[in-house]
Amino acid sequence: MNMLRKSVVLKLWLLMVALVLLILYFTGVLQTAKLKQLYYDQQLELLLSEAKHLSGSEDITGQNANMHLLYTLAGALKGNIMITDRQGNIVHCIGMGMEMQNVTGAKINVVGHHDLPWSKSDLQSIMQGETVSYRGAYHFLDTDVLTVAVPFYKDGQAAGTVMLSSPLAPIEERISALQKITLSAGLIGIALATILSLLLSRTLSRPLLKMYQSARSMAKGDYSRRVEVKSQDEIGLLAHSLNTLAAELQEKITALERLDQTRREFVANVSHELRTPLSIIQGYTEALMDGMAATEAERNKYLAETHEEILRLRRLVTEILDLRKIEAGGVELKRQPIDIEQLAGQVYGQFKALAEDKEVTASLDFAPGSYTVNADADRIRQVLINLLDNAVRATPAGGRVKVELLEYKDTVQVSVTDTGPGISAEEQPLIWERFYKVDKSRARTGGGTGLGLAIARQIIEAHGGTIGVSSKPGQGSSFYFTLPK
Ligand code: ADP
């Protein structure tokens, strides 16, 4: 029972066998009944026509019968011929082991003779010209027979009966032969069902078991297992979707793990970044409270430093929040057609004075063309500010910062080139990461957060654009981004 509950193939096998047996049983039973009836009817008809034939020929009925003919006919029929007189007394009884001729004196009457089926009313019916038949055990003949009885006439009057019997055994034999055929068909059917089940177990049960194992290992956290898909039927589809599921889950889980990792790093970085300004602020305020600043000028210096650190903290927090928002997709870009040429001009204007203070030559170059893109002006301005701020800060006195606009078929490119220290090839991929600073000490004086480029990349990618850098240490850097038109 447990086996049955566990195996779909066993279930199928039982179902098929049951079906074969059921069909065979019904066809067997119906066929046998129908055939029996058919054989009986045929035999009855044969007997009847012979009996009628006999009753019509005067020379073989009654006491003056031509016995030779009676013997011949009984032999041909392999049956028994019985002739009685009007009262039912047996005159002759020939065939099937009987040889009674002209036994009128013995007065053996078919009616009431023990174990003979005939009744008085039967005899009356026969005498009135009706045909009476009987099927079953028959005394005298010691076997099951089919019998028909008809009257015979002399001088236009019913003079007695002719009763023809033939054994049922041959019919039964034929039917049992047929039943044997049906039985062997059943056995063949069961054998076929077994072979079919074995084949099915290959194509049905085995892949299902493999899928089961795959699903189990997925539950245990192993998504590397795949089911081999050969068929394109429902099982194949199932296996295929299981494989896809495993692959997708694997991908998702790896992504989740990566996300978790970056989140943890992010929190660690943020705490680290916050700690430095906070401890500086703490140091200055404690010094002020302890009265360590002797002069007004010194006190003002401490306050100014504290203020600087507070501004730094503020910027850090704003940038962190900004980045998180962009990354989480929480910022909806307010896209509208903007003129990059105009936007770059504005930002350039802001930084020109700063650059000149540092004795850095700034320039803005662009060929005439259409620099209109569909973008969020505030966000793109932020990117420009970040890039220009980096460039001006990186460039020493006497250096140059150049902003260039280029128009391509489908895109607009903005580049900011400086003559600063440049960035080594190993560090070029790293500068886009949050909190990454090439020169850790520079961050202290320059006030960078290490978030500017990370934010810039998020913004540009959200616009469907690309951002990158080409740089050689000692020769300066060129940051560029493109936006689709
Ligand atoms: P920060 O706010 O510190 O500038 P960014 O993300 O903008 O942070 O830049 C990351 C790091 O990349 C900077 O600390 C700096 O070391 C380096 N970097 C950025 N721009 C330039 C540049 N134009 N020349 C040289 N180094 C640069």
Side-chain angles (χ1 to χ4, degrees):
M1 215 45 218
N2 212 20
M3 264 292 271
L4 186 63
R5 225 177 295 149
K6 279 185 177 167
S7 165
V8 78
V9 173
L10 195 63
K11 267 182 220 162
L12 269 174
W13 180 77
L14 277 178
L15 203 73
M16 281 193 280
V17 168
L19 213 67
V20 167
L21 290 181
L22 204 73
I23 290 172
L24 274 174
Y25 176 75
F26 278 111
T27 48
V29 165
L30 287 178
Q31 212 177 34
T32 308
K34 189 88 195 153
L35 277 174
K36 252 185 185 169
Q37 197 55 51
L38 207 75
Y39 282 139
Y40 289 149
D41 288 352
Q42 245 181 9
Q43 192 68 6
L44 207 63
E45 219 164 292
L46 179 74
L47 288 177
L48 193 63
S49 82
E50 288 302 329
K52 282 195 171 146
H53 186 66
L54 260 183
S55 68
S57 54
E58 281 183 20
D59 57 342
I60 57 161
T61 43
Q63 278 161 356
N64 315 313
N66 176 345
M67 294 315 290
H68 177 68
L69 250 172
L70 282 184
Y71 276 107
T72 317
L73 190 64
L77 280 175
K78 292 201 182 84
N80 174 277
I81 302 171
M82 190 145 82
I83 313 281
T84 74
D85 62 13
R86 289 181 58 85
Q87 286 76 40
N89 293 318
I90 298 175
V91 180
H92 311 294
C93 181
I94 284 148
M96 289 179 76
M98 299 296 292
E99 247 180 79
M100 291 154 70
Q101 306 179 18
N102 267 319
V103 288
T104 34
K107 289 270 181 219
I108 307 170
N109 198 297
V110 290
V111 177
H113 186 84
H114 63 93
D115 292 342
L116 272 179
W118 313 110
S119 65
K120 224 180 184 103
S121 68
D122 285 337
L123 197 66
Q124 271 171 10
S125 305
I126 300 167
M127 281 312 169
Q128 277 160 21
E130 280 175 35
T131 303
V132 175
S133 67
Y134 165 78
R135 193 169 96 197
Y138 205 79
H139 186 65
F140 283 169
L141 304 176
D142 267 344
T143 177
D144 287 354
V145 293
L146 192 64
T147 304
V148 286
V150 293
F152 72 85
Y153 299 89
K154 226 171 218 151
D155 307 326
Q157 274 207 319
T161 66
V162 173
M163 292 176 167
L164 277 190
S165 306
S166 81
L168 284 182
I171 296 180
E172 300 291 348
E173 266 165 34
R174 267 197 250 176
I175 285 175
S176 85
L178 264 175
Q179 278 169 337
K180 265 182 209 146
I181 293 177
T182 315
L183 196 72
S184 26
L187 289 177
I188 292 173
I190 291 171
L192 279 179
T194 310
I195 294 171
L196 218 67
S197 303
L198 287 176
L199 285 179
L200 270 180
S201 97
R202 262 177 194 286
T203 56
L204 195 82
S205 179
R206 261 184 230 176
L208 282 176
L209 275 177
K210 279 204 190 122
M211 282 185 246
Y212 163 74
Q213 283 158 355
S214 165
R216 268 184 70 111
S217 42
M218 267 201 255
K220 283 183 190 148
D222 171 15
Y223 301 93
S224 59
R225 222 181 167 123
R226 297 285 180 272
V227 186
E228 211 181 313
V229 195
K230 278 190 199 132
S231 60
Q232 293 193 328
D233 54 11
E234 291 88 339
I235 304 257
L237 279 180
L238 187 62
H240 185 73
S241 55
L242 196 73
N243 285 346
T244 326
L245 180 72
E248 273 171 15
L249 271 177
Q250 193 169 23
E251 228 169 75
K252 291 242 161 72
I253 281 172
T254 322
L256 272 178
E257 282 168 357
R258 213 183 303 127
L259 198 72
D260 194 47
Q261 172 80 9
T262 46
R263 213 163 260 169
R264 240 176 290 166
E265 277 171 14
F266 187 79
V267 171
N269 284 333
V270 168
S271 341
H272 178 80
E273 290 298 318
L274 291 177
R275 199 178 294 138
T276 322
L278 279 175
S279 42
I280 293 169
I281 291 170
Q282 189 185 1
Y284 282 130
T285 46
E286 275 171 9
L288 281 171
M289 284 191 296
D290 293 349
M292 276 170 69
T295 62
E296 181 75 19
E298 219 170 331
R299 265 198 299 277
N300 280 344
K301 189 186 152 235
Y302 282 11
L303 275 175
E305 296 273 5
T306 309
H307 187 240
E308 178 80 12
E309 290 305 320
I310 289 171
L311 287 182
R312 189 171 143 76
L313 269 179
R314 218 189 134 92
R315 193 164 60 236
L316 188 67
V317 170
T318 315
E319 283 185 2
I320 288 170
L321 288 179
D322 233 24
L323 187 65
R324 295 305 274 175
K325 244 196 274 176
I326 298 169
E327 275 182 347
V331 171
E332 229 177 90
L333 295 176
K334 295 188 203 79
R335 277 170 179 257
Q336 57 189 35
I338 56 165
D339 191 354
I340 290 287
E341 182 191 319
Q342 202 183 341
L343 195 68
Q346 281 173 11
V347 180
Y348 172 76
Q350 286 170 21
F351 278 90
K352 198 169 158 47
L354 199 73
E356 275 163 7
D357 279 354
K358 277 192 76 180
E359 290 172 37
V360 168
T361 320
S363 62
L364 175 63
D365 275 2
F366 54 88
S370 145
Y371 296 99
T372 305
V373 292
N374 201 25
D376 186 328
D378 285 340
R379 297 283 167 192
I380 301 300
R381 179 180 295 116
Q382 199 178 343
V383 174
L384 282 164
I385 290 173
N386 287 355
L387 293 186
L388 265 159
D389 182 52
N390 281 347
V392 172
R393 269 196 285 146
T395 312
R400 278 187 328 262
V401 169
K402 184 169 70 179
V403 180
E404 253 179 319
L405 300 187
L406 277 169
E407 191 201 355
Y408 293 106
K409 196 166 147 263
D410 301 318
T411 54
V412 167
Q413 182 181 301
V414 181
S415 65
V416 180
T417 311
D418 63 61
T419 56
I423 304 159
S424 70
E426 302 84 65
E427 282 188 302
Q428 281 175 23
L430 300 175
I431 53 172
W432 308 98
E433 279 174 20
R434 308 164 186 131
F435 302 111
Y436 187 85
K437 297 165 198 158
V438 175
D439 180 0
K440 315 282 185 235
S441 62
R442 187 195 76 122
R444 279 294 326 120
T445 49
T449 56
L451 288 171
L453 288 178
I455 291 174
R457 185 170 68 168
Q458 290 288 344
I459 292 172
I460 295 302
E461 283 175 0
H463 276 87
T466 53
I467 186 164
V469 65
S470 65
S471 175
K472 266 201 188 123
Q475 290 179 19
S477 326
S478 182
F479 283 84
Y480 61 87
F481 66 87
T482 60
L483 287 172
K485 276 189 187 167

